[in-house]
Amino acid sequence: MREQAGLFRVVIVAIVILVVLGALALSFYTVWLWFQNLQFSSVFLTMVISKILIGLAAALVFLLVVGINYYVARLYVKKTHPVSGGEGGISVEGLPISERGVRWAIGAFLIIVVLMIGSAASTKWSMILLYFHPKSFGISDPIFGRDVAFYVYSLPFYLFLKNWIMAFVVLSGVVATLLYTKGNLINMEAGTIQAQDQKVQLPTKLRIDPPARKHLSILGMIIVALLIWGYWLKAYGLLYSTGGPAFGASYTDIHVQLVAYRILMVVLGAFAICLAINMVRHRRGFLLVGLAGTMGAMVVAGFIIPSLVQKVVVRPNELDMERPYIAYNIENTRRAYNLDRIQEKDFIINENLTMADIVKNRLTIENIRIWDERPLEETYDQLQSIRLYYLFSGIDVDRYFLNGQYRQVTLSAREISIDQLPLQARTWVNRHLKFTHGYGLTLSPVNQVTQEGLPNLLIKDLPPVTRIRGIEIKRPEIYYGEKTKNYVIVQTKEKEFDYPKGDSNVYTIYQGDGGVLVNSFLRRLLFALTFRSTDILFTHYLTPQSRIMFYRTIDKRVKKIAPFLQFDRDPYLVIADGHLFWMLDSYTTTSMYPYSARMSKKFGLEINYIRNSVKAVVNAYTGKVDFYVIDETDPIIQSFMEIFPDLFRPIDEMPESLKSHIRYPRDLFDIQVAMYRSYHMQDVQVFYNKEDLWEVPNELYADTQQEMVPYYIIIKPPGEKREEFLLMLPFTPSKKANMIAWLAARSDMPNYGDLLVYKLPKDKLIFGPMQVEARIDQQTEISRELTLWGQKGSRVIRGNIMAIPIEQSFLYAEPVYLQATQESKPEVEPTGRIARSSLGRPERPTRSIALPELKRVIVAYGNELVMRENLASALAAIFEGIELPKETMPGERVEKRSIQDLVTSALDQYKRAQKCLKAGDWAGYGKALDRMKRILEELARSGKSVPSKR
């Protein structure tokens, strides 16, 4: 019976091991085929082999450390207290458990622990590989003089090694102590105590036999040695201290805490000598005194003295004593976040723009964005979804040459959402064989609007119709995108749905090489198990040429290939050489840059160093992924390039058609903005007192106040010769609303990545965004009109306000949209398209059937504030004799200026003339009358009007 029970256990263990190994092999082979299709086999093997070797190494070290100590303890127990023959066993609640059963239980437990240790250690594979491939930063820390590479590469590895070895040794000590206690090598000797005229036998003295004492003393010395190493590492950890007025080691840390650590290292060394003496001569009192002294030294030197020095000596003289350490923090934080590369310039405000300035900056005026991303996404959905299973995956902002003109545009990919199909149509064939891809995109200029108040679509419809010379869409199919979450199988006997055409559909067969071939029964079985679908195994639609596509969402795809990089939240669509691509920014980060302030909750981890080192590009049709290194000066990416030589390509190999669409990433800009609010202050005293703290201003969106977000814009930076595509954001002083500076990041080559900050004069009031918003609310005519529109049944949406620098002045523009609030219930079930907004809007089970229409544009300049039907009219109302260029884009609708608009403009000039008259400004009075005369003459001319862009 016992033999049968033993055999049964062996079979059970074998089955469990086979199941686990089978699952691992299944997962391994599936992902291997996927990497192989992308020609990244070496990348996969490097990661897998590294994880296996690191896991095995950790498990082996654990087994050696614990196993050796277990063997030694067991050997001592057997020698001291040999067990007589017979079947050894123990009893639990009367149930006999054989020694073999105990061994099986211990063995099973040990296997589980070893697997957990190996698995946990393997997650640190990238950190360990970086340790073996360090690259110098060329910068030393100001305290110990070590290269920053030591802190980024070596220190994390040493801390990892110390903690794991400590855990193994402590666990070994626990195991040895249990064995010695069971074998009576450790026990409590009984003594007699007199209590109430009675003698009571109680354990009063701990007895440890010499073999156990020697063994445990050796383990104690190893633990002490590890503690000494830990204090050596803690000294370097002081450079991440948060106890001072700035991040990094403070006066107390360097002059007291560091000395305390060194004293404690000596004290621990003395205690190790006590343990060594205890091995030879048992002196319990001597050992206890040494232990008490060590613990006391840790408390006094490690906590009490530093706290007293901080309170009594440093705090009353904090600025003087902390000055050099605050300077270290400022210098290293600016360097770690690339803030030291920001070029600071003065921006002298004149507010004297003329018609000549407007004409000179014509390209800037023509690219003022009056389409906000949020209402535009809804408009695209309503106008261009065409069928219920299509949706637009957010709005991307980019720039293209449209018929020779440098234009800022918005575009969005038309992706397919199987969840929008009726329930009865969500069959396996439809979900995975037929509805496999999205189709085409929609593109419109940021500044153009039709007579109906809608965007002027230059690329639209199915198949895509483009009205832009030089831009064509040869491959509009989107197999890889932001919403492509399910797997699909292409090149099957079932033709794929391509796009709708009237009352019928157009079908296609995939012509690319994306996806893994399903050309054998073994692979069918493999993918059936992987995706838990018997349909893959039994369907008759597959052919030897069939390919299965998975990991199709852009973020998951790139993270699977390069999990050691951090990625931007927003991939954006690019048209290049007739194909569609997704571009996604990726970053190298660390939290171990010395003296650099840390930022938490970014990318789901804490960081204090970041570089936008890589641009990832994904082909929307084939799924091919390329990683282009754009910052080869970054030491961390240099290390990864050495580890994965086949993964990265230099930026020079990126086609020019893609390179022209590289843009500065918003996530990185957000991080730099957050840090620059404080770290633009380089004077230690100013920084300490937070005298010049900046804030990101608020703005109104709809009727809600929110923090202003960075926006892309085409302008001519002051002092430059041509317009550029920038990402910019204004700043205001802390707790004030006026503008104090604006930060811009350049996107066009060869100046990509350059940061410019323009500081405004502090002795002059320059309106900030919320001050302009307040002026809009206080303007009687505008406020009355907005209130009238916002009556029941309509919703007024005030879009993002934009501060536009032109010459030495600022122009503000804010679009106003009107949307009927009429809503309809979803036809299928409550999973409507609007619920999945990519721009952070709340999910809604219903969606509006009314389009947001651009109703007005508000423009503010200096003390002037007007609201007109379009941007041209608003500018014409402010600037003398301005006429926007008569050239129009293909298909752009040119409308006549309404009589009401001309009358309003004439009235504005009359009011301006009266204002100049009261102020005694006769020159201004004459100019206003001249402008009013021209407007009245234009009004009188029958059938003639000034062309203006909507």
Side-chain angles (χ1 to χ4, degrees):
M1 291 294 292
R2 290 177 181 171
E3 291 179 357
Q4 291 178 352
L7 180 62
F8 177 74
R9 294 191 191 101
V10 171
V11 172
I12 293 297
V13 171
I15 291 174
V16 170
I17 292 175
L18 287 174
V19 169
V20 172
L21 292 178
L24 290 174
L26 177 70
S27 175
F28 174 89
Y29 187 56
T30 302
V31 180
W32 158 259
L33 291 174
W34 186 80
F35 271 87
Q36 190 179 48
N37 174 255
L38 291 171
Q39 299 179 355
F40 289 141
S41 303
S42 62
V43 176
F44 176 72
L45 288 176
T46 299
M47 289 191 289
V48 170
I49 293 173
S50 300
K51 291 178 182 179
I52 292 174
L53 292 179
I54 291 167
L56 288 175
L60 182 61
V61 172
F62 169 77
L63 288 174
L64 285 174
V65 173
V66 178
I68 289 173
N69 284 279
Y70 176 83
Y71 174 78
V72 170
R74 187 173 176 83
L75 185 64
Y76 282 153
V77 169
K78 283 185 176 182
K79 284 183 178 181
T80 309
H81 298 283
V83 181
S84 58
E87 180 67 26
I90 60 174
S91 176
V92 179
E93 296 182 358
L95 297 176
I97 301 177
S98 66
E99 185 176 354
R100 181 178 297 176
V102 173
R103 289 175 180 173
W104 274 99
I106 293 175
F109 175 74
L110 191 62
I111 290 173
I112 293 172
V113 171
V114 167
L115 289 175
M116 291 176 62
I117 288 173
S119 177
S122 67
T123 62
K124 303 296 183 181
W125 65 272
S126 61
M127 179 263 290
I128 295 172
L129 286 183
L130 285 176
Y131 171 76
F132 289 105
H133 297 84
K135 297 295 178 183
S136 173
F137 278 68
I139 300 165
S140 299
D141 79 88
I143 303 300
F144 302 105
R146 283 186 172 269
D147 192 288
V148 172
F150 169 79
Y151 298 91
V152 174
Y153 299 107
S154 301
L155 187 57
F157 177 74
Y158 293 153
L159 290 169
F160 163 81
L161 204 60
K162 186 266 296 183
N163 292 334
W164 279 68
I165 295 176
M166 178 71 80
F168 293 166
V169 175
V170 170
L171 183 58
S172 299
V174 172
V175 170
T177 302
L178 291 175
L179 283 172
Y180 289 136
T181 303
K182 180 183 176 183
N184 292 322
L185 271 72
I186 299 177
N187 56 34
M188 298 295 292
E189 294 181 348
T192 303
I193 297 177
Q194 187 74 27
Q196 296 180 356
D197 300 328
Q198 293 183 355
K199 293 182 179 181
V200 181
Q201 294 287 328
L202 292 174
T204 59
K205 184 179 179 181
L206 178 66
R207 183 184 62 81
I208 305 177
D209 286 3
R213 187 174 66 249
K214 290 180 180 179
H215 185 190
L216 295 179
S217 295
I218 291 173
L219 290 177
M221 286 189 289
I222 295 173
I223 291 174
V224 169
L226 289 170
L227 289 173
I228 294 173
W229 188 26
Y231 277 111
W232 183 77
L233 295 175
K234 273 189 173 184
Y236 296 106
L238 290 174
L239 273 59
Y240 311 103
S241 170
T242 57
F247 185 89
S250 62
Y251 178 91
T252 302
D253 293 322
I254 298 303
H255 293 87
V256 182
Q257 195 73 64
L258 181 58
V259 175
Y261 286 163
R262 289 170 177 169
I263 292 173
L264 288 174
M265 291 167 68
V266 174
V267 171
L268 285 167
F271 182 63
I273 295 173
C274 294
L275 289 171
I277 294 173
N278 186 62
M279 290 174 56
V280 181
R281 300 181 63 184
H282 184 43
R283 294 289 185 269
R284 183 180 292 107
F286 180 68
L287 188 62
L288 291 176
V289 170
L291 179 61
T294 301
M295 298 298 292
M298 286 182 176
V299 173
V300 174
F303 298 100
I304 296 178
I305 293 178
S307 298
L308 286 175
V309 172
Q310 179 68 27
K311 291 179 181 179
V312 177
V313 179
V314 177
R315 187 171 295 174
N317 311 284
E318 191 171 53
L319 178 57
D320 288 338
M321 303 188 79
E322 299 285 9
R323 185 179 294 274
Y325 308 104
I326 296 173
Y328 296 153
N329 168 255
I330 294 173
E331 179 185 1
N332 285 279
T333 300
R334 287 173 58 86
R335 186 185 295 125
Y337 290 95
N338 250 356
L339 305 182
D340 60 328
R341 293 182 55 190
I342 295 178
Q343 302 175 44
E344 297 186 358
K345 300 182 179 182
D346 291 328
F347 190 82
I348 307 302
I349 295 292
N350 292 325
E351 293 186 353
N352 58 356
L353 282 182
T354 64
M355 179 179 65
D357 294 323
I358 297 298
V359 173
K360 181 180 176 182
N361 293 273
R362 164 179 157 178
L363 193 57
T364 298
I365 297 297
E366 292 174 350
N367 282 284
I368 293 177
R369 180 161 59 87
I370 58 175
W371 279 107
D372 187 68
E373 295 173 25
R374 283 158 284 195
L376 186 61
E377 181 182 4
E378 196 165 339
T379 301
Y380 279 1
D381 259 336
Q382 297 290 338
L383 291 177
Q384 284 292 300
S385 286
I386 299 177
R387 294 288 175 89
L388 59 91
Y389 38 75
Y390 284 129
L391 57 84
F392 286 92
S393 54
I395 301 296
D396 298 322
V397 180
D398 203 351
R399 71 285 197 197
Y400 288 80
F401 280 93
L402 306 183
N403 304 315
Q405 298 292 320
Y406 193 51
R407 297 287 187 178
Q408 186 178 185
V409 301
T410 55
L411 65 162
S412 185
R414 185 186 292 103
E415 298 200 50
I416 198 161
S417 175
I418 301 301
D419 293 335
Q420 303 300 320
L421 288 172
L423 284 173
Q424 63 273 19
R426 298 181 197 175
T427 63
W428 182 83
V429 171
N430 280 346
R431 291 176 64 88
H432 301 289
L433 305 186
K434 185 173 288 293
F435 292 93
T436 57
H437 58 275
Y439 203 87
L441 72 152
T442 295
L443 180 147
S444 60
V446 296
N447 68 321
Q448 295 180 9
V449 58
T450 66
Q451 292 180 8
E452 294 78 19
L454 302 176
N456 180 30
L457 305 180
L458 299 185
I459 299 179
K460 61 179 182 177
D461 297 341
L462 294 169
V465 176
T466 175
R467 293 180 290 161
I468 309 168
R469 293 193 305 270
I471 294 183
E472 58 177 334
I473 313 298
K474 300 175 183 177
R475 274 293 177 195
E477 300 92 341
I478 300 173
Y479 285 87
Y480 301 86
E482 295 184 78
K483 305 296 180 183
T484 49
K485 297 178 180 179
N486 62 316
Y487 73 89
V488 296
I489 305 176
V490 297
Q491 293 184 5
T492 65
K493 296 176 183 177
E494 179 73 14
K495 288 188 176 182
E496 304 166 51
F497 167 76
D498 206 23
Y499 61 89
K501 186 176 183 180
D503 295 330
S504 60
N505 295 324
V506 176
Y507 295 91
T508 189
I509 295 177
Y510 182 71
Q511 301 297 319
D513 57 1
V516 178
L517 282 171
V518 192
N519 54 4
S520 66
F521 176 79
L522 179 62
R523 290 196 179 186
R524 277 200 184 202
L525 179 62
L526 170 70
F527 291 115
L529 292 172
T530 300
F531 297 107
R532 298 180 178 87
S533 173
T534 56
D535 297 290
I536 297 177
L537 191 61
F538 298 115
T539 181
H540 66 275
Y541 290 113
L542 301 193
T543 70
Q545 290 76 39
S546 296
R547 293 175 173 271
I548 185 168
M549 298 178 176
F550 51 100
Y551 299 139
R552 295 197 300 143
T553 54
I554 303 305
D555 58 343
K556 183 177 289 187
R557 195 169 185 83
V558 294
K559 288 176 183 177
K560 192 72 177 177
I561 300 169
F564 45 85
L565 298 176
Q566 309 303 323
F567 290 92
D568 200 88
R569 292 170 296 177
D570 182 31
Y572 60 98
L573 191 68
V574 173
I575 308 169
D577 302 321
H579 294 260
L580 302 181
F581 297 87
W582 295 96
M583 195 170 288
L584 185 60
D585 289 278
S586 52
Y587 312 98
T588 51
T589 63
T590 182
S591 62
M592 298 300 290
Y593 198 99
Y595 266 114
S596 173
R598 284 173 174 163
M599 169 176 283
S600 59
K601 297 181 180 178
K602 202 67 184 177
F603 309 115
L605 73 165
E606 197 173 52
I607 64 171
N608 70 351
Y609 170 93
I610 185 170
R611 291 292 184 271
N612 175 214
S613 300
V614 178
K615 301 285 184 179
V617 178
V618 182
N619 189 305
Y621 186 72
T622 66
K624 184 178 183 295
V625 184
D626 291 300
F627 293 89
Y628 295 98
V629 177
I630 195 167
D631 184 3
E632 293 186 354
T633 63
D634 172 36
I636 298 179
I637 201 61
Q638 291 174 10
S639 296
F640 282 125
M641 290 171 69
E642 189 174 283
I643 296 168
F644 302 103
D646 298 329
L647 178 60
F648 299 103
R649 303 172 63 183
I651 192 65
D652 293 339
E653 293 184 10
M654 178 183 281
E656 289 297 327
S657 56
L658 285 173
K659 196 181 296 184
S660 62
H661 295 286
I662 288 175
R663 68 182 194 186
Y664 202 84
R666 276 181 176 170
D667 277 358
L668 175 59
F669 194 75
D670 283 339
I671 292 172
Q672 292 173 318
V673 164
M675 301 308 296
Y676 198 66
R677 291 173 55 248
S678 301
Y679 286 92
H680 72 277
M681 297 179 283
Q682 299 184 58
D683 182 90
V684 171
Q685 183 167 339
V686 174
F687 181 89
Y688 176 80
N689 293 321
K690 298 294 186 285
E691 297 175 21
D692 193 21
L693 189 66
W694 292 352
E695 289 182 351
V696 176
N698 287 341
E699 64 172 349
L700 286 179
Y701 178 76
D703 55 355
T704 303
Q705 192 171 145
Q706 64 180 27
E707 188 176 274
M708 200 169 185
V709 297
Y711 50 90
Y712 291 101
I713 188 171
I714 290 180
I715 62 171
K716 184 190 296 181
E720 300 296 329
K721 296 181 179 180
R722 65 179 184 86
E723 282 77 7
E724 298 181 25
F725 187 65
L726 306 177
L727 180 62
M728 70 166 284
L729 187 70
F731 286 105
T732 59
S734 178
K735 299 180 181 179
K736 293 184 179 180
N738 60 290
M739 194 189 305
I740 192 67
W742 57 283
L743 178 66
R746 304 169 83 170
S747 294
D748 293 343
M749 291 293 186
N751 300 312
Y752 173 83
D754 289 351
L755 294 168
L756 308 169
V757 66
Y758 294 92
K759 295 184 175 181
L760 308 182
K762 295 182 179 181
D763 58 351
K764 186 175 184 179
L765 175 64
I766 294 94
F767 290 120
M770 280 307 297
Q771 290 176 321
V772 175
E773 298 279 21
R775 289 175 58 203
I776 293 172
D777 291 334
Q778 294 166 4
Q779 223 274 7
T780 307
E781 294 179 5
I782 295 177
S783 180
R784 181 173 58 247
E785 195 163 2
L786 295 180
T787 302
L788 181 64
W789 290 337
Q791 301 299 322
K792 187 176 181 180
S794 296
R795 178 187 179 217
V796 175
I797 303 173
R798 285 167 63 171
N800 291 124
I801 190 168
M802 296 180 66
I804 304 148
I806 300 178
E807 297 297 325
Q808 297 302 124
S809 303
F810 265 100
L811 191 70
Y812 278 96
E814 179 177 276
V816 179
Y817 310 92
L818 190 63
Q819 181 181 33
T821 56
Q822 184 179 5
E823 293 183 339
S824 65
K825 296 289 183 180
E827 299 178 4
V828 185
E829 59 178 0
T831 56
R833 288 196 298 269
I834 301 302
R836 51 88 194 111
S837 171
S838 64
L839 291 165
R841 291 179 289 167
E843 293 191 356
R844 295 178 291 181
T846 59
R847 66 179 178 87
S848 171
I849 60 174
L851 291 169
E853 297 179 9
L854 181 65
K855 196 70 175 177
R856 293 288 187 271
V857 176
I858 300 172
V859 173
Y861 170 68
N863 293 318
E864 301 291 335
L865 180 74
V866 299
M867 183 174 75
R868 292 292 182 269
E869 290 185 1
N870 51 52
L871 180 63
S873 300
L875 292 172
I878 290 180
F879 297 103
E880 174 187 356
I882 182 173
E883 289 187 7
L884 290 187
K886 296 183 179 180
E887 298 86 354
T888 59
M889 301 298 298
E892 181 184 357
R893 305 183 70 159
V894 181
E895 59 174 345
K896 292 186 177 182
R897 214 165 166 189
S898 66
I899 293 178
Q900 178 62 40
D901 206 23
L902 290 169
V903 170
T904 302
S905 296
L907 183 59
D908 284 340
Q909 296 303 325
Y910 172 76
K911 291 178 180 178
R912 183 174 294 182
Q914 293 299 313
K915 185 177 179 181
C916 292
L917 180 62
K918 291 180 181 179
D921 182 6
W922 297 104
Y925 177 74
K927 290 180 180 179
L929 287 181
D930 287 340
R931 289 194 293 268
M932 184 174 69
K933 176 184 176 183
R934 287 198 296 271
I935 294 171
L936 292 175
E937 289 174 347
E938 181 181 346
L939 183 62
R941 288 195 294 269
S942 175
K944 296 183 179 180
S945 68
V946 177
S948 64
K949 290 186 179 182
R950 293 292 306 260

